[in-house]
Amino acid sequence: AQTVTQSQPEMSVQEAETVTLSCTYDTSENNYYLFWYKQPPSRQMILVIRQEAYKQQNATENRFSVNFQKAAKSFSLKISDSQLGDTAMYFCAFMPGAQKLVFGQGTRLTINP
Amino acid sequence: KAGVTQTPRYLIKTRGQQVTLSCSPISGHRSVSWYQQTPGQGLQFLFEYFSETQRNKGNFPGRFSGRQFSNSRSEMNVSTLELGDSALYLCASTRTGSREQFFGPGTRLTVL
């Protein structure tokens, strides 16, 4: 079975700090996609960043970057210069060949002023 | 471009009733996926439709069904509602050839 594990249920940092959210996954597939989604209190799921497994280069989107370790099946998200608007639930998600997302349980991130 | 829209946003039903939720994808997107989000089980995949055909299905009982119309709009139906069906139901659309799913605001279903 394909599973995604986020080991940090909650995290809290001060504004402007850097924070790293952890994610590991389990799969026997070689080609797949990984995503980080953000769900603020409004409950709207927002795509933060994506990574194709066949790409060795880590994805970056402005203040958001990932550390993708394929052999270790690890996909962590780093948020630099954190802002109050980054407060949200963050979900790591895995997509195998099919158009179907498998989500982790989420990390509740709070950015304090 | 308008985002994914879902109607209704909130719904209250009683046990045993049935419910239909609607999802309109982003214009040009032909794949629509549905997810159930609950505090206990988290986010779980229900099914995915593409060109009016169910292409993928999650592990939900047959009470959960869906369909897609020629304009790519999708509906999901839950029959014989149970208390445990109370959840946020999210739909997401994807452009052909892409893997990025864009989510709607969800429908909050409460079963009493």
Side-chain angles (χ1 to χ4, degrees), chain A residues 18-34:
Chain A
T18 294
V19 60
T20 299
L21 280 57
S22 301
C23 172
T24 58
Y25 57 94
D26 186 26
T27 183
S28 57
E29 300 200 18
N30 194 46
N31 294 319
Y32 49 86
Y33 298 78
L34 293 160

Side-chain angles (χ1 to χ4, degrees), chain B residues 20-65:
Chain B
T20 300
L21 312 181
S22 180
C23 172
S24 292
I26 293 170
S27 178
H29 288 196
R30 294 170 62 190
S31 168
V32 174
S33 301
W34 289 89
Y35 296 85
Q36 180 196 65
Q37 185 175 23
T38 60
Q41 299 298 316
L43 283 149
Q44 294 185 287
F45 171 77
L46 280 154
F47 28 64
E48 183 237 349
Y49 285 87
F50 178 82
S51 290
E52 302 179 66
T53 301
Q54 187 181 85
R55 199 160 59 169
N56 295 287
K57 188 177 188 306
N59 296 324
F60 277 82
R63 300 185 297 107
F64 292 82
S65 62

Side-chain angles (χ1 to χ4, degrees), chain A residues 32 41 58-59 63 100:
Chain A
Y32 49 86
N58 290 323
R63 298 182 295 107
K100 161 191 171 180

